[in-house]
Structure formats: structure tokens, C-alpha cells
Amino acid sequence: MEPNNKQGGAASSKPVTDLEGGLHAMRLGDPSSPRLLPRHPDAATSSLPFHPQQVLAPTAAPVERPPPHVPQPPPRELAPTATAPGMRLLPHQHQSRPEARSYGGVEPSPADRIRRNLRYTAPAASTSSVAPKQSNLSVSAEPFYPTFMQWPSTPFSSTSQNENGSLDAYHPSALRSALHADAALLQWRREHVRARLLDRGTLDAFVLMSPEFSPHVVSLLEERDETMRRCVLAKVLPFVHTVMWTREGHDVFRELLRACEGRFDELESIVQAVCNRKGFLMCVAVQHLGVIALKELIRVVALNPQLRVTLLTGLLNDCLMERSKGDVLLHQYFRVLPHEDCKIITRVAVASIDAMLSSPMGCYCLLVCLWNATDGELQDLEDNILRRTGVTATNECGKDFLEHALAHGGEQLKVRIAERVGENIVDLSRHRLGHYVVSACIRLTRSVEAVECVLSAFLLLRPSELEALVRGPPSTSVLAALLETGKRYSPSLAEDLARRIVALPAQEEDAGLWLLMWTIDSLFHFH
């Protein structure tokens, strides 16, 4: 039985030996070694535990489709912080390359991004001990590579394409091309604007008030060409109010005034167009640029008597002293117009003083007239203001007007207002608005004579009237302020008034009376 076992063992080991030899030859690349062909799916299952096709990798790598390209930044190269003995830097590590980041650095330009994408290659696939799956593509199939979008080459593009296909936004030739393209575009716009302005059959409000074309209109006016000046004037007149207050049209209007300066016919047409309808100040003077345009128009026509009177008449007919920014325009008139023309403004103010004192803008305009009027006009204006002091002090706008006059007016005006206030001292001291005017005569005038006028008015009161003022809340604060200020300007009159207040019958104390008595004790020390 033993020989049979040996024979059987040799017979059973021979196929294994042949298989191992063949496999060894295949690993060494022996061309004479037989290649193992894949079995047909219908073939019987081998007695081997694993099929060779499952163990060995294929001799030729299958054709794989590369992954679609995703733009990624190049890997960051970190320079070594310390060089160990014997360590050498690679050649590319000797030169530092700045990284463009979206944060904390310089933002890469579009050309840099495209150049980086062209240099980018997909990383090699990681090797694995498991054989990759067979591709369904044939060997002759062409691999797919993503294409890049190319910028269109327009005459106004500021980028150029180099021989590698990438775009360079900072190449000198690209910059020169961009400059030439911009110059050509500006020249085209300028000639286009010139042609539109010379066409007398069109009304081009867009050309006058657009940010692209209005600078060209200004530059054409600066050439001082007579034909161009007349054409622009014809285009501006139908839209003069809108042109005056818009941002782009404002520059055109001011340059047109400079070009027409000294030309009576052209300036007259502008003045008539500006004053052609009632209410134009509501749409012009309400804007800051419109006010500047009107001030420039006043300056330009100031040298011609007929034009400045026409413009002033148009502004006054449109209620200049009641409109917004009317005080600014009045100040410009008083600054550039002759004295004879300014008299017209003062006379109009005197004639409409009641309406002016009832509106905030009217009060501002009346103050401008008060500061600039002279001689007889100033006297008439002051007399009319003083006759209305009692009524003016009891309304909001008039109260503010009198406070400004007492703070910034002349010495004579301050004293005259204080005298008029003293004539009605009881009612004004107890009024919710009038007591502010009485306090202004004391605190704001900085005038000894005005303070003495108010002190004298309180000293002339009967005891009952003075007792009524001591009890009232607004009037007690007025008396305290009067005594405190009178102590500095007129100590004797102030002390007489304090003694009269102390001599009054005892009153039920409240906050106002307590403050008044504390002021008397601290100033005069009667006890």
C-alpha cells in the first residue's frame, strides 16, 4: 500500500508543481510561458481553491477615464523652519512664491485663475492591493478632457491671450489695447454727442442729464464755439428747471452760464425760461444743486440792470421769502447786487411782514433783511417789528425771531425791544412762550441798558401784580434769572426788587417759589 500512496501522492502533486512553475515564469515575464485564459462562464468549476484571474493582476492596465477637472489651488509648499545637518533644500524651495488667497492676501486676477487651471494636473490614483475593476471602454476609446472657456476678443477688452492659451490681464500689450479702446470709445461718444447737439430737430434731455454724455457736453462748451453754445442753449431751455437741480445737468447749466456771460440776448432767454411760470422755486430751490445754480445765475446777471431786475421780480412773484432756501438766495442778492436794488427787497419785506413773522422761512428772510438793510429802509423795518413785538412774542416763529434779534442785533435794537417787552411785562412773563422773550432780554442781550429796562418794568408793578408773578410757575423762573443777572449789571435795582419780593405776604411754597427765595438768600443775604 505504501508504493501506491507514494505514486498517488506524486501524481497529485504534479499538476500543482506545473502550475507553480507556470506562475513563476509569468511573473518573470517569460514569453514562452502559457498565458492563463479566463474561463468561460459555463465551464466547470476548478478544483483549485481560487481562480488565477482572481489572484493575479492583469498584465496591462485597463484604460480608465480620468476624473472631470475641478479647479483647485496648487498644494501649499511650506518652507522648513529649521534646517537639520545634512539636509538640502530642493531647488523649488529656494524661491518663495506668494500665495493668492481669497482672504488675508491678494485676490487672484481672472487671468491668474485660468493660468493656474491650465497648469493643473489631476493627482495620480492611489495604488491598492486589490485589482481595479475592468473598464467597459475599449482600448481604442479616446480619453475625455475638459475644455476651458476662452474670453471673447472684443476691441474694448483689457486682457490678452498668450501662446499657452491663458489670459494675461497685465501684459503691456493688453494695457495698451485697453487704453486705445477706451480712447476710441470716448472719442466715439464725444462725436456722437456733438452730432446730437448739432441736430436742431431733436430735444435731447437724456444727453444733457446722463452720466455718460453730460461730461462731453461740458467739454464741448469749454471750447467756446459759438455754434455749439447756441445749440446747447436751445437744448437746455425747454428743460431748464430739471437741468438746474439734477447732478449731471447742473454742471452743464453752470458751464452754459459761463459761456453766455456778457451776452445779453442769451442770458435774457435763460432768465425768461427760469421765471416762465409761478412755482418754479418749489422744484428748483428745494434741492441743494438748484440753489447753487440760482446763485450762479444771480451772479452772472448782476452786471446788467435790466436782467437782474427781471430775475428779482420773478423770484419775488414766486414768494421767494416763503420758499425753502429763500434766505440763502436773499443773502446772495444783498452780496452781489447794488444798494438801490436791495431797497426793493426791504420794501417787500416791510409790506409782507405779518406773513413773514408767521412762518419759519419768513422769519429767516426777515432776519437777513434786518442785517443787510441800511438807512431809511432799516428804520422802517425796525419800526414795524417793534409795533408787533407783543404779538410776535406769543407765537413760535415770532419768539425765535425775537430771540435771534436780541442775541445778534444792534445795541439800539436790543434796547428798543426790551422797552416794548417792559410795556407788557406781566402778560409776557406768565405766557408759555412770551416768558422766553423776557428771559432773552435778560440773558442774551449782554446789554446793561436792556437789563435795566426790564428791572425798571418789574419795579413799577403794583404789589398785587408782583404777588401774582411770584405765584406763577413761568414768572418765578423769570424773576430768578432777572435777579441773578441784575446783580452783575445793576446791583442797586436788583436789590430793590429782591426786597420788594421778600416784603410780600407769606405764600404757600412750591418748587418755583422755593427756587426764587433760595436765589434771593444766596445773592443778597437779607437774614
Side-chain angles (χ1 to χ4, degrees):
M1 296 299 291
E2 291 179 3
N4 291 337
N5 290 337
K6 293 178 179 180
Q7 185 179 359
S12 61
S13 61
K14 184 177 180 181
V16 177
T17 304
D18 295 339
L19 178 60
E20 291 178 355
L23 292 176
H24 182 67
M26 291 176 63
R27 292 190 185 98
L28 297 178
D30 188 2
S32 63
S33 62
R35 296 184 180 274
L36 297 178
L37 300 176
R39 285 194 165 197
H40 195 274
D42 298 334
T45 304
S46 173
S47 61
L48 296 176
F50 297 99
H51 195 275
Q53 187 70 20
Q54 299 176 354
V55 178
L56 300 177
T59 58
V63 178
E64 292 186 2
R65 180 176 179 178
H69 173 69
V70 179
Q72 298 180 0
R76 183 176 180 181
E77 298 174 359
L78 298 177
T81 58
T83 305
M87 186 177 69
R88 294 182 303 170
L89 295 177
L90 297 177
H92 66 277
Q93 294 178 347
H94 287 282
Q95 297 179 354
S96 61
R97 296 175 59 188
E99 273 190 294
R101 297 174 179 268
S102 59
Y103 62 91
V106 181
E107 182 70 17
S109 64
D112 292 336
R113 294 194 187 99
I114 296 174
R115 190 184 305 110
R116 178 189 300 164
N117 295 338
L118 288 174
R119 291 199 307 263
Y120 173 79
T121 56
S126 60
T127 58
S128 176
S129 60
V130 181
K133 185 178 179 180
Q134 183 101 16
S135 175
N136 296 327
L137 297 176
S138 62
V139 179
S140 62
E142 295 182 357
F144 170 78
Y145 295 100
T147 59
F148 297 97
M149 182 183 295
Q150 300 294 334
W151 293 90
S153 58
T154 60
F156 307 119
S157 177
S158 61
T159 59
S160 63
Q161 186 173 1
N162 58 21
E163 60 275 6
N164 296 328
S166 62
L167 298 178
D168 190 356
Y170 307 104
H171 195 273
S173 61
L175 295 177
R176 285 194 297 270
S177 300
L179 292 176
H180 289 314
D182 293 341
L185 179 60
L186 291 175
Q187 184 64 25
W188 176 85
R189 285 181 177 175
R190 182 183 175 87
E191 295 304 323
H192 176 69
V193 170
R194 185 191 299 272
R196 293 287 294 269
L197 293 176
L198 292 176
D199 187 2
R200 298 179 180 273
T202 60
L203 298 176
D204 291 325
F206 175 74
V207 173
L208 300 173
M209 293 176 284
S210 66
E212 293 84 8
F213 299 129
S214 60
H216 297 291
V217 180
V218 174
S219 64
L220 291 172
L221 286 173
E222 290 175 350
E223 296 177 356
R224 296 296 186 262
D225 180 71
E226 182 177 359
T227 303
M228 184 56 58
R229 184 185 67 252
R230 293 183 178 276
C231 291
V232 174
L233 178 63
K235 303 288 186 181
V236 167
L237 292 180
F239 313 100
V240 62
H241 299 111
T242 308
V243 172
M244 289 172 69
W245 67 263
T246 54
R247 177 176 299 179
E248 290 78 15
H250 170 77
D251 296 333
V252 174
F253 182 79
R254 295 188 66 181
E255 189 60 36
L256 179 62
L257 288 180
R258 297 188 191 99
C260 296
E261 191 168 358
R263 304 176 184 274
F264 176 81
D265 294 338
E266 297 175 1
L267 289 177
E268 184 182 20
S269 62
I270 295 176
V271 171
Q272 291 177 355
V274 170
C275 304
N276 64 347
R277 58 187 176 89
K278 190 176 180 63
F280 72 91
L281 282 175
M282 296 181 64
C283 62
V284 176
V286 73
Q287 302 291 335
H288 177 67
L289 295 178
V291 174
I292 296 176
L294 281 174
K295 290 174 65 176
E296 185 70 12
L297 180 60
I298 293 171
R299 184 194 66 80
V300 171
V301 303
L303 298 178
N304 190 286
Q306 182 178 349
L307 292 180
R308 64 176 181 246
V309 172
T310 302
L311 180 59
L312 179 59
T313 304
L315 292 175
L316 292 176
N317 288 338
D318 199 26
C319 303
L320 172 65
M321 299 185 184
E322 300 176 10
R323 303 295 185 188
S324 176
K325 308 292 184 173
D327 55 333
V328 179
L329 297 176
L330 280 181
H331 181 73
Q332 176 75 354
Y333 261 111
F334 280 108
R335 189 174 68 87
V336 301
L337 262 65
H339 177 68
E340 294 299 325
D341 291 346
C342 294
K343 290 182 179 180
I344 300 175
I345 301 175
T346 308
R347 292 168 185 168
V348 173
V350 171
S352 58
I353 190 170
D354 291 329
M356 296 178 69
L357 287 173
S358 61
S359 66
M361 185 52 59
C363 290
Y364 292 147
C365 294
L366 193 60
L367 285 173
V368 174
C369 297
L370 190 62
W371 307 148
N372 293 278
T374 56
D375 302 335
E377 289 75 23
L378 178 60
Q379 186 69 30
D380 293 341
L381 188 59
E382 289 182 352
D383 291 343
N384 281 272
I385 292 173
L386 293 171
R387 280 197 296 268
R388 294 167 173 81
T389 300
V391 179
T392 304
T394 57
N395 65 74
E396 190 71 32
C397 299
K399 182 229 354 151
D400 296 337
F401 171 79
L402 290 176
E403 287 181 345
H404 280 283
L406 289 169
H408 307 288
E411 181 70 17
Q412 184 180 0
L413 179 62
K414 293 177 182 180
V415 174
R416 295 182 69 185
I417 293 177
E419 291 175 351
R420 300 294 295 183
V421 169
E423 293 175 2
N424 197 14
I425 194 69
V426 176
D427 294 336
L428 292 179
S429 297
R430 302 178 65 177
H431 194 272
R432 65 180 185 87
L433 296 176
H435 78 277
Y436 289 109
V437 179
V438 181
S439 299
C441 294
I442 302 166
R443 295 180 180 272
L444 300 181
T445 56
R446 296 182 296 276
S447 170
V448 176
E449 190 174 355
V451 175
E452 288 181 349
C453 288
V454 179
L455 279 171
S456 301
F458 276 102
L459 288 171
L460 293 175
L461 294 177
R462 294 189 297 269
S464 59
E465 294 176 337
L466 185 59
E467 182 179 355
L469 293 178
V470 169
R471 292 177 180 179
S475 55
T476 52
S477 61
V478 171
L479 286 170
L482 177 61
L483 293 174
E484 183 179 358
T485 307
K487 177 70 175 179
R488 298 194 305 268
Y489 290 97
S490 182
S492 59
L493 292 178
E495 185 175 353
D496 291 344
L497 180 61
R499 291 185 182 278
R500 291 194 59 184
I501 294 173
V502 173
L504 292 174
Q507 304 290 334
E508 182 179 354
E509 289 193 6
D510 55 4
L513 182 58
W514 180 88
L515 176 62
L516 176 61
M517 300 309 295
W518 179 86
T519 302
I520 293 175
D521 292 340
S522 61
L523 291 175
F524 302 101
H525 308 288
F526 290 144
H527 300 294

